[in-house]
Amino acid sequence: MSGLGARDIGHRVVVRHRIPGGQTDVIGVLQAWEPDSLAVRHVDSTVHEIPAADVTAAKTIPEMPLRPVDVDQLFLTTALGRPAVERAYIGHWLLRASSGWTGRGNSLLPTGSPGMPVTDVLRQAEDFYTERGLPPQAQVRLGSPQAEEIQACGWVDARPEQSDVLVMHTTLDHLNDEPGYAVQLAERPNAQWYAAAFEGPVPEVAPKVLEGAANAVFASVTLDGQVVAVGRGAMTGHWLGVDAIRVCADYRRRGLGTAIVQGLARWAGPLGGRRTYLEVLLENAAAMATYTRLGYREAYRYRYLTSR
């Protein structure tokens, strides 16, 4: 079959084949191979089953290289994929509050122009968070002009003991593989999902944050009669945001986290998803290794600044 065989299953391929009135090419991952047929899974999760007799040419091809990412756009996209309970804008800068749960949900996101002097913006931010009993914080992309401006106003590192947070990205093409476990997807998480997602009580505000996106899905894997791995996906434009990945302690190092990410990617493809991002602490070596193997690469890093 023009050079392809069972050994190529799981690899990216291009297959030219006859269709009524001519020929066409299909690019994707070789999902199945038999002497009389093959199946290629496109990045949008469509599976093309092609009779061997119709194939005129076929070969393996390299993985699609990552295009440069617009980090300013991605910085805002990450906030839209996991919206805070309360939101207010000062120009393009976004104030967020979620009863104190997570830094992302309770910090100023400085992107674009605030439309006024930064000192005035920070004064309004301090009032906003003080009124809600929260410490004033700003989530800043390292090396950005906004981070430098805020630091110049006297704001300092809010979490000096914590490593940088990496925002990593890749294309769904890199995740186009069959998950090693059956991944269930639901529009709303149930009690079992939350029990696996949190070690201990679920913060009261967490469901409002996690279920607040316009287009989100909740993934899980069940083994031995219990939910042992979970994750969340949210679509913003062509971006799939992946977060809330957690595998129960007794089931780690079995590829369950990888399966969750791949399951979310398969959900996003038919919805127009083309690229994906996630966040991970630099100190989390195990997660970093998993995501790097899947093709994720660093887009930028961020930290939190505070006025006190």
Side-chain angles (χ1 to χ4, degrees), residues 4 11 43 84-85 128 137 160 169 189 193 195-196 237 248-249 266 286:
L4 293 184
H11 291 274
V43 68
V85 175
F128 178 87
Q137 286 192 125
H169 73 107
W193 190 94
C248 295
R266 290 170 66 81

Side-chain angles (χ1 to χ4, degrees), residues 100-117:
W101 185 64
T102 79
R104 283 180 283 176
N106 297 273
S107 57
L108 171 67
L109 189 85
T111 178
S113 170
M116 64 176 67

Side-chain angles (χ1 to χ4, degrees), residues 163-210:
S163 67
D164 296 338
V165 181
L166 269 64
V167 176
M168 306 182 75
H169 73 107
T170 190
T171 66
L172 293 194
D173 182 76
H174 283 76
L175 305 179
N176 189 5
D177 201 356
E178 197 79 36
Y181 298 86
V183 178
Q184 291 82 41
L185 301 174
E187 293 183 0
R188 287 287 180 269
N190 57 22
Q192 290 74 30
W193 190 94
Y194 277 112
F198 290 87
E199 186 173 357
V202 179
E204 183 178 353
V205 74
K208 293 182 181 179
V209 175
L210 294 173

Side-chain angles (χ1 to χ4, degrees), residues 127-291:
D127 291 342
F128 178 87
Y129 289 110
T130 299
E131 288 170 3
R132 290 157 178 79
L134 299 171
Q137 286 192 125
Q139 178 187 340
V140 297
R141 182 167 57 83
L142 298 186
S144 67
Q146 294 89 347
E148 295 174 359
E149 290 175 323
I150 293 172
Q151 287 175 310
C153 292
W155 284 43
V156 298
D157 195 342
R159 305 178 182 184
E161 75 289 348
Q162 180 179 291
S163 67
D164 296 338
V165 181
L166 269 64
V167 176
M168 306 182 75
H169 73 107
T170 190
T171 66
L172 293 194
D173 182 76
H174 283 76
L175 305 179
N176 189 5
D177 201 356
E178 197 79 36
Y181 298 86
V183 178
Q184 291 82 41
L185 301 174
E187 293 183 0
R188 287 287 180 269
N190 57 22
Q192 290 74 30
W193 190 94
Y194 277 112
F198 290 87
E199 186 173 357
V202 179
E204 183 178 353
V205 74
K208 293 182 181 179
V209 175
L210 294 173
E211 300 177 40
N215 195 2
V217 72
F218 298 83
S220 62
V221 173
T222 300
L223 295 177
D224 303 325
Q226 63 176 325
V227 174
V228 298
V230 296
R232 173 185 176 274
M235 287 294 297
T236 305
H238 68 273
W239 281 100
L240 165 68
V242 173
D243 69 348
I245 299 289
R246 187 168 184 270
V247 178
C248 295
D250 292 342
Y251 291 85
R252 289 171 185 164
R253 301 186 181 278
R254 300 189 191 183
L256 286 160
T258 293
I260 290 288
V261 175
Q262 291 169 336
L264 292 171
R266 290 170 66 81
W267 167 79
L271 299 178
R274 290 296 177 265
R275 308 186 82 165
T276 171
Y277 67 85
L278 50 76
E279 302 187 6
V280 60
L281 283 168
L282 182 60
E283 64 196 33
N284 190 343
M288 287 281 297
T290 295
Y291 300 143

Side-chain angles (χ1 to χ4, degrees), residues 109-128:
L109 189 85
T111 178
S113 170
M116 64 176 67
V118 172
T119 52
D120 294 340
V121 177
L122 297 182
R123 191 175 301 113
Q124 289 189 37
E126 288 181 321
D127 291 342
F128 178 87

